[in-house]
Amino acid sequence: MWRRFQEVARRHPSRIAISNESGAATYAALAEDAARLQQFLDPVRLPVVLIALPGGPAFTMVQLAVWGAQGVVAPIPDKSTEREASGVLDLLMPDLVVISSLAEQRDIVRGLSTPTTILTLNPSPDHECMHRIVCLADLGAHTAPLEKRQPKWRRDLPPDARLIQFTSGSTGQPKGIVLSNENLTANLDANRTHLLQFEGMHVFSPLPQFHAMGGAVVMEHLWHGSPVHLSNRFMPGDDVARLRRYECRAILAGPHYFKLMLRLGALSADKMPGLHFFTIGTAAVEPQLVSELHQAYPASVVYCRYGLSESVGALTRMGLRAGDHFTQGQVGHFVDGVECEPAWQAQVSIDKQANGGEIVVRSPCNAVGQLLATGQCVAITDECGFLHTGDVGYLDHTGGLRLQGRLTSFIKVNGYRLSSLEIEAVLKTIPGVNEAVVIATPDPVSGQRIVACLEPFPDAELPAAAELDRHCRSRLSAYKLPQRFVVFNQLPRTHAGKPNRPKILTEINR
Amino acid sequence: MNIQTSLSFKDELAEIISQVVQDTTGRMVQIRVDDRLIEDGYLDSFSMINLILEIQKTYGIEIDVTEIDESNFGSVLRIADFIAARR
């Protein structure tokens, strides 16, 4: 990844590579600063570096430096709490922790239970603590090099490991997905034709860079000569100003961001005439949202992509133009290099949507392993290299993938197996609904009870329960109807902005 | 009374923002006039939009999306100055 970046930087040294709210860096500046930091890291073999920085130039520069030193980066949210940070730090035992400032990120420092080297981007007053504090601006020939820590499990980390992507995991414990240099470069190669259309084009993303899709978006575009502008906080006026300043032609974001910006009137040809591409990740997208984007920009292309933290980048992608037929669940064709497991393909080809099965795929982008709480790194694919995604779907007559939900999101009511995704799709068509999540709660008679959790748009009022029921009744069979509606002012969400299902379940059980 | 110099106006605004955060997220917060609303994690995207709606309703002003930026909405003091300039 480092060598590939250097090649791009040599071709476009003075081109802006990446920006955020605090500033911008050219390709040459990123490469030079990374090379300087790399000298500090070089004495350590396979350095493991935890990055707790907002997305942008500094984050990317540190990532490049670590990759230049053949090391591993592990990004976490820069605003992690002490509890969140300590969970990751105890698992990772990094050689170096990179933060913006000691004063602003005390919680992360408190999460370190043993002496560690901390690199800060901003100078801080003398700080009495057990850690070694190094300021980026002070790094030079006189600086003592980084020293390696010796956690017992490090020998298990593959030598070409480059990125540990933390996800919340189904247990609530951090789950560290280990990605290799080959995984990262394979993602660039698999999407090369698609990404080259953006070459030289400025793109904008409010996705957090620590997040799987946010991080992938930066790598995919930056490494193809397409400058990336990141936003780390929801200030739509600032976003509009930067979109205009850099004449961005594409936005890559989650559905929530597009919905809010449409609602605020920010996405209109009057305000931002240059936009032409919208990429929405990372799962099934609502047709209504695609339609609204096409209404605002009739000539635009809306890309939907489906991917998982366990595999770098997108497994599938589809581009939609105004007028294209699109229904909920469509996520397009598999990108180059992704193979379906023959048994799954045979099953879903016969049974179609009646009995879609767990999607099982092999790809050079599938992660090489996962860090366990014991510190071991174990494979996440089966003996044939296939990843069992936990998502359920089938292939339509064009060979395109149709998502039906998560294995765990299927609900059993009175013997019927239901997809929460199908019910959620209907709930999202209720006027005023911004987000809908279907949760199953235990029921002594039917097995499980369907609870619809709704989040209205800030300025919207939802109909009464009887009207909600009528809306669903006109679109769903009786056995699929929610038995209870719960309206949240705001659904609990993860750091990445997705609905937090375990927390929602806790809330409705209160 | 001059709204620009009124301490009670800023306190009132801090109270409104605290209430919006509580109504939107369920979090009980007591925002002070010099707190950083985004940086310190008080306002997320939903709370921000609810705050814009509340300010428009309470103070009878129209806010364009391009005005929702750090210089106008980064703190209670900045919001107070923004409203004062618009009234």
Side-chain angles (χ1 to χ4, degrees):
Chain A
M1 288 297 283
W2 170 232
R3 274 200 304 275
R4 284 195 187 206
F5 182 84
Q6 285 176 306
E7 285 166 22
V8 185
R10 271 194 289 273
R11 284 203 300 274
H12 314 292
S14 57
R15 182 181 287 178
I16 292 280
I18 188 163
S19 81
N20 65 7
E21 298 85 350
S22 306
T26 62
Y27 276 95
L30 276 183
E32 285 162 20
D33 290 349
R36 194 164 66 96
L37 177 57
Q38 190 188 323
Q39 290 174 9
F40 176 64
L41 305 171
D42 264 342
V44 173
R45 190 185 151 272
L46 197 65
V48 175
V49 178
L50 182 127
I51 302 179
L53 299 173
F59 182 117
T60 309
M61 184 279 288
V62 174
Q63 193 176 44
L64 285 166
V66 178
W67 288 346
Q70 311 286 300
V72 186
V73 293
I76 64 167
D78 58 311
K79 297 198 188 318
S80 296
T81 63
E82 180 180 345
R83 185 189 63 79
E84 291 163 340
S86 66
V88 170
L89 289 161
D90 288 346
L91 176 61
L92 200 62
M93 297 282 282
D95 299 301
L96 179 69
V97 171
V98 187
I99 59 174
S100 299
S101 127
L102 285 172
E104 299 274 330
Q105 292 170 289
R106 286 190 199 96
D107 277 358
I108 291 173
V109 177
R110 285 194 199 107
L112 284 162
S113 56
T114 52
T116 306
T117 303
I118 300 173
L119 179 70
T120 66
L121 299 189
N122 298 306
S124 51
D126 285 344
H127 192 83
E128 285 287 322
C129 66
M130 63 176 168
H131 309 296
R132 178 188 175 198
I133 311 292
V134 181
C135 180
L136 183 67
D138 298 335
L139 280 184
H142 59 282
T143 311
L146 182 66
E147 287 180 17
K148 184 155 189 74
R149 302 173 80 193
Q150 296 295 343
K152 59 184 178 191
W153 55 265
R154 189 68 55 76
R155 62 178 179 273
D156 290 338
L157 211 54
D160 65 340
R162 291 293 175 268
L163 176 65
I164 299 177
Q165 188 71 58
F166 282 100
T167 73
S168 50
S170 54
T171 60
Q173 297 299 314
K175 179 175 162 186
I177 302 297
V178 181
L179 299 156
S180 68
N181 193 58
E182 188 190 340
N183 290 149
L184 302 178
T185 55
N187 180 46
L188 300 182
D189 294 338
N191 294 286
R192 185 169 171 74
T193 308
H194 168 69
L195 292 168
L196 278 176
Q197 70 178 318
F198 298 96
E199 207 279 328
M201 192 185 290
H202 290 247
V203 306
F204 184 88
S205 176
L207 294 165
Q209 200 172 354
F210 68 80
H211 178 252
M213 181 181 167
V217 158
V218 173
M219 287 185 264
E220 289 166 3
H221 286 275
L222 205 55
W223 265 249
H224 282 88
S226 170
V228 183
H229 304 282
L230 299 180
S231 170
N232 293 287
R233 54 187 183 226
F234 188 74
M235 272 295 184
D238 286 333
D239 290 359
V240 169
R242 291 176 60 227
L243 278 152
R244 285 175 173 168
R245 186 191 318 150
Y246 292 110
E247 298 179 351
C248 295
R249 299 212 62 208
I251 299 179
L252 304 100
H256 184 62
Y257 181 82
F258 285 115
K259 287 184 201 173
L260 292 182
M261 291 297 267
L262 280 164
R263 203 139 186 107
L264 286 167
L267 294 181
S268 70
D270 293 344
K271 284 214 159 58
M272 288 185 288
L275 287 172
H276 188 71
F277 300 99
F278 303 98
T279 298
I280 312 172
T282 58
V285 172
E286 297 147 50
Q288 175 69 21
L289 175 57
V290 175
S291 167
E292 286 181 32
L293 287 168
H294 280 140
Q295 279 168 24
Y297 293 89
S300 66
V301 184
V302 178
Y303 287 107
C304 303
R305 56 189 270 171
Y306 156 66
L308 302 158
S309 302
E310 288 83 353
S311 187
V312 192
L315 289 169
T316 71
R317 182 178 53 249
M318 72 186 304
L320 295 161
R321 293 181 184 276
D324 285 350
H325 178 70
F326 175 63
T327 55
Q328 177 91 25
Q330 276 184 280
V331 288
H333 290 80
F334 288 107
V335 301
D336 288 351
V338 179
E339 299 168 63
C340 307
E341 188 197 37
W344 172 72
Q345 195 163 358
Q347 179 202 336
V348 298
S349 298
I350 296 163
D351 292 341
K352 298 289 182 193
Q353 65 269 41
N355 265 314
E358 183 184 10
I359 301 161
V360 183
V361 289
R362 185 162 56 192
S363 159
C365 301
N366 286 351
V368 290
Q370 177 189 339
L371 274 183
L372 299 182
T374 56
Q376 288 173 295
C377 180
V378 296
I380 58 165
T381 50
D382 63 21
E383 62 281 4
C384 297
F386 284 99
L387 175 69
H388 296 248
T389 62
D391 289 326
V392 176
Y394 67 97
L395 298 174
D396 64 21
H397 66 283
T398 70
L401 180 64
R402 302 273 184 130
L403 282 184
Q404 292 176 298
R406 293 284 297 167
L407 261 185
T408 52
S409 69
F410 277 82
I411 302 170
K412 203 91 182 251
V413 180
N414 288 324
Y416 291 105
R417 187 165 172 265
L418 314 176
S419 159
S420 59
L421 192 70
E422 182 190 0
I423 304 168
E424 286 164 5
V426 168
L427 293 168
K428 287 175 188 173
T429 63
I430 297 170
V433 168
N434 177 49
E435 187 60 83
V437 173
V438 166
I439 299 281
T441 57
D443 185 276
V445 180
S446 60
Q448 287 187 307
R449 188 176 164 84
I450 306 169
V451 181
C453 304
L454 304 174
E455 176 188 80
F457 281 108
D459 54 347
E461 199 162 309
L462 294 187
E467 183 53 39
L468 295 173
D469 180 78
R470 193 172 299 121
H471 182 97
C472 295
R473 202 169 285 278
S474 67
R475 292 162 176 82
L476 292 167
S477 302
Y479 66 94
K480 298 177 182 172
L481 292 172
Q483 289 139 307
R484 185 180 158 203
F485 292 95
V486 181
V487 178
F488 287 73
N489 286 332
Q490 187 174 28
L491 285 167
R493 288 177 186 272
T494 63
H495 273 301
K498 292 180 184 173
N500 187 329
R501 288 173 187 269
K503 273 196 178 166
I504 294 170
L505 182 60
T506 306
E507 291 280 319
I508 61 177
N509 281 336
R510 268 187 188 172
Chain B
M1 185 170 58
N2 181 354
I3 198 169
Q4 270 179 294
T5 57
S6 163
L7 187 61
S8 63
F9 169 59
K10 290 166 186 166
D11 288 338
E12 172 191 295
L13 199 50
E15 193 56 42
I16 288 174
I17 299 168
S18 300
Q19 191 62 48
V20 166
V21 173
Q22 188 182 328
D23 290 347
T24 311
T25 66
R27 291 160 52 207
M28 296 286 286
V29 296
Q30 191 60 56
I31 292 171
R32 293 171 308 210
V33 292
D34 55 351
D35 280 334
R36 299 173 309 172
L37 298 175
I38 301 285
E39 287 291 306
D40 292 344
Y42 286 114
L43 291 183
D44 59 10
S45 54
F46 247 53
S47 315
M48 173 60 83
I49 291 186
N50 278 330
L51 177 62
I52 300 298
L53 295 168
E54 188 61 33
I55 289 173
Q56 292 187 145
K57 191 173 77 180
T58 306
Y59 299 105
I61 58 174
E62 281 292 313
I63 300 172
D64 186 81
V65 62
T66 56
E67 296 174 307
I68 310 170
D69 62 15
E70 186 67 27
S71 67
N72 291 330
F73 285 85
S75 68
V76 177
L77 293 175
R78 289 179 184 183
I79 299 175
D81 288 344
F82 172 74
I83 295 171
R86 293 291 302 274
R87 278 160 59 113

